[in-house]
Amino acid sequence: MKRGLLLSLLLCTAPVHAQTPDLLTGGDYARAFDSAQADGDPLTASRAAAAMAEYRAGGRGWITRAVSAARQAVTTRPTSPDTHLALGSALGLQARAGGFTLGALNSAQQARAALDRADIQAVLAEWHAGAWTKAGVFSGGNASRARTLAAAARHAPDNLFVQAHAGLGLALLRDPQARLLLNRAAALEARTALDRDLQAQARRALRELH
């Protein structure tokens, strides 16, 4: 899918920009961010900063870095679904951290616009579910739309990214189908640190369903 860069291991003498994907998939998110910034790779920088915020409790400073780098990535590659996914993900983190404020609502709407352009149904399902749960009709989220988008996960039963995000969205709605998708995500092979961190998130959501 749109996240995850599985590359061969590189020699320790390789240039910084060649090491960056390995730092990211290896879970060294802070160093991956610094390396990507130094190499002028805003997409990887945004992914790394978002991972620091989401999986390492890095705080709002990392969310700000993720949004800034993603905006730069979109400016550089405006037609790339990857850059819009990164921006939508970063803005989603910003909206969540903002609580019930107009600023958070604005971030959420911008996140949806970016995710619409990325056109990844599982992530859109999670956005609609989260927005609906947080602020109902005022958010622009739609619970029915979330369920419809999440249903597309059946076409990618072996994709951890799809199963986890669709399941996380349904879990927010307390939908009975959430358990099936999250169990599937938890059982799939995790090949990178990003996969493992997302899988851990899916398992936590499963425990909260009990």
Side-chain angles (χ1 to χ4, degrees):
M1 284 301 291
K2 302 297 182 183
R3 292 182 186 174
L5 298 169
L6 293 176
L7 300 178
S8 300
L9 290 175
L10 300 166
L11 296 174
C12 62
T13 54
V16 169
H17 72 273
Q19 295 176 1
T20 303
D22 287 330
L23 292 171
L24 180 62
T25 59
D28 196 345
Y29 301 139
R31 284 183 62 206
F33 174 80
D34 290 339
S35 179
Q37 285 284 86
D39 190 51
D41 180 0
L43 176 58
T44 300
S46 180
R47 285 172 167 164
M52 276 295 295
E54 181 78 359
Y55 303 130
R56 301 289 186 266
R60 294 195 182 192
W62 283 105
I63 296 175
T64 299
R65 293 183 184 98
V67 172
S68 177
R71 290 195 189 282
Q72 183 182 350
V74 168
T75 298
T76 304
R77 297 167 55 192
T79 62
S80 167
D82 285 345
T83 62
H84 289 285
L85 174 60
L87 180 58
S89 298
L91 287 168
L93 290 172
Q94 188 176 71
R96 189 197 313 167
F100 292 91
T101 65
L102 288 176
L105 181 59
N106 181 54
S107 292
Q109 295 301 330
Q110 290 183 54
R112 179 185 176 181
L115 293 174
D116 278 336
R117 294 196 66 177
D119 192 24
I120 300 176
Q121 290 175 313
V123 181
L124 278 169
E126 189 178 3
W127 183 92
H128 275 283
W132 175 263
T133 303
K134 189 171 186 177
V137 295
F138 298 104
S139 68
N142 186 304
S144 177
R145 181 68 175 149
R147 291 186 174 93
T148 299
L149 289 164
R154 66 180 181 275
H155 299 304
D158 299 322
N159 191 296
L160 193 157
F161 180 89
V162 171
Q163 298 303 310
H165 282 286
L168 288 168
L170 292 181
L172 290 170
L173 299 174
R174 314 303 291 183
D175 188 287
Q177 289 299 309
R179 194 177 305 280
L180 172 65
L181 298 180
L182 292 172
N183 271 318
R184 190 176 291 157
L188 289 170
E189 180 184 3
R191 299 182 179 182
T192 70
L194 286 169
D195 286 345
R196 289 189 291 275
D197 285 331
L198 179 58
Q199 196 171 60
Q201 194 175 51
R203 286 171 175 152
R204 284 194 297 274
L206 259 176
R207 290 194 295 271
E208 292 171 2
L209 287 175
H210 291 297

